[in-house]
Amino acid sequence: MTELTVWYDGGCPLCRREIALMQRLDRAEAITFVDVNKADGGSCPIDRADLLARFHARENGVLLSGAAAFAAMWRAIPRLRWLGLVAKAPGMLPLLEQAYRVFLRIRPRLQRLARKAEQNAA
């Protein structure tokens, strides 16, 4: 069985929504989800700022970042396993990483929109 830990930004409305979905899909509870904002320093494998800047996961003791971390998370969830396996195909991970880097550039705007939506819903 794969050991997988995922660190996420619980202060980010986008991250909270995505992780909530992943937690619902992870019916076997195969993934340990760690909110970086609530974690003690000992549970974080690298600097907190680095964890907040990019998505990170540890799969069987190997720290992954960006698209590789997403692919590991997908592989751990039966309904998304196919997507994680596609990411392992030759040339796919670099393409996914490029897409992830584009997302990182627009993420601050998306976060602002999500925060406004949360405030309007409250």
Side-chain angles (χ1 to χ4, degrees):
M1 175 130 188
T2 300
E3 284 187 36
L4 184 65
T5 301
V6 166
W7 289 270
Y8 70 98
D9 180 0
C12 167
L14 297 174
C15 299
R16 283 194 309 268
R17 288 177 182 174
E18 179 182 16
I19 294 303
L21 173 62
M22 295 300 124
Q23 288 173 321
R24 283 192 304 273
L25 292 173
D26 182 24
R27 292 186 180 166
E29 298 181 357
I31 304 170
T32 301
F33 293 95
V34 179
D35 180 347
V36 176
N37 292 306
K38 294 180 181 176
D40 62 6
S43 65
C44 298
I46 59 173
D47 181 68
R48 183 179 178 278
D50 291 336
L51 283 173
L52 293 171
R54 286 178 57 90
F55 188 69
H56 288 83
R58 183 171 32 219
E59 183 180 39
N60 294 327
V62 177
L63 187 63
L64 304 168
S65 177
F70 277 102
M73 181 174 64
W74 298 333
R75 285 191 300 274
I77 297 172
R79 289 178 132 179
L80 300 178
R81 183 169 171 73
W82 67 272
L83 190 54
L85 294 174
V86 167
K88 282 186 151 188
M92 283 304 296
L93 201 53
L95 289 174
L96 290 170
E97 182 63 28
Q98 283 181 323
Y100 180 65
R101 288 176 188 225
V102 169
F103 166 76
L104 288 177
R105 287 197 300 263
I106 63 171
R107 181 174 66 171
R109 284 175 262 167
L110 294 173
Q111 287 173 321
R112 283 192 295 277
L113 289 172
R115 280 192 182 96
K116 283 181 185 179
E118 281 183 347
Q119 291 169 352
N120 291 336

